[in-house]
Amino acid sequence: MVNFFSFRGTVTEISDFIIGANGEGEGCYTLMSVDNGAGASVNFVVSPSTYFVNQEMVSVGDTITGYYDGDAPVPLIYPPQYRALIVVKDDPYQNIKVDYFNNQLVSRDGQLQLNLSPFTPISLRNGQPFTKSIANRNLIVSYGPTTRSIPAQTTPYWVIVWC
């Protein structure tokens, strides 16, 4: 189970990131610098396996939220450098929640509860349908309006299961 942490900010730079001594993978990895406007910045290593929600193209000036494994080791450098697992480009018309949802479909942070409809599309990252229970799993959830309760409740637009 991934312990998702996030960082939200504006992309200030995108550059090639070389791995390996002989340049293997050249052009496949990028370093995305993100600044939150309050004095904090991070670098995200974006790999071919980084999942971009809605396959959005990201460029300098875009506001994004990058999700990474909070339990993964990171080099002790400044700014911090994290391996991006999921990148979400801001969209004023939808909310995205990336978290572990328990057997009551409440997020780990206790802020959101899902009320699935029979018509809610549920799939894997590769777009294939997911037919098992989504309880007790890491999920990427797109949703709109919520109740004012705690936790807020919503019927998601779609759910992606992060296996």
Side-chain angles (χ1 to χ4, degrees):
M1 167 175 36
V2 177
N3 188 14
F4 287 109
F5 281 40
S6 66
F7 186 86
R8 182 177 184 273
T10 302
V11 177
T12 58
E13 183 179 353
I14 299 173
S15 58
D16 284 336
F17 186 73
I18 307 296
I19 62 165
N22 57 359
E24 63 187 57
E26 187 174 1
C28 295
Y29 293 81
T30 57
L31 196 64
M32 191 177 291
S33 300
V34 181
D35 184 288
N36 72 354
S41 30
V42 303
N43 288 328
F44 284 117
V45 176
V46 177
S47 72
S49 64
T50 300
Y51 183 79
F52 283 77
V53 172
N54 296 326
Q55 297 182 340
E56 292 276 359
M57 299 297 287
V58 173
S59 56
V60 172
D62 289 339
T63 301
I64 66 158
T65 303
Y67 292 88
Y68 58 95
D69 185 348
D71 295 331
V74 295
L76 293 174
I77 58 174
Y78 185 82
Q81 183 173 296
Y82 304 113
R83 183 176 158 255
L85 299 174
I86 301 167
V87 175
V88 179
K89 184 175 174 180
D90 271 16
D91 180 345
Y93 302 108
Q94 73 176 348
N95 301 302
I96 301 288
K97 178 81 169 176
V98 177
D99 210 345
Y100 174 83
F101 286 80
N102 67 16
N103 60 347
Q104 299 296 312
L105 297 181
V106 176
S107 61
R108 179 180 302 171
D109 64 7
Q111 297 298 308
L112 187 66
Q113 181 172 14
L114 305 180
N115 297 321
L116 295 179
S117 122
F119 306 107
T120 302
I122 301 172
S123 65
L124 296 169
R125 288 186 290 175
N126 63 8
Q128 299 305 303
F130 185 80
T131 58
K132 303 298 179 191
S133 170
I134 64 169
N136 298 311
R137 296 183 185 270
N138 289 313
L139 306 175
I140 304 170
V141 179
S142 172
Y143 64 97
T146 64
T147 63
R148 293 185 183 263
S149 61
I150 298 176
Q153 297 183 33
T154 190
T155 301
Y157 297 145
W158 49 257
V159 175
I160 296 173
V161 178
W162 187 267
C163 290

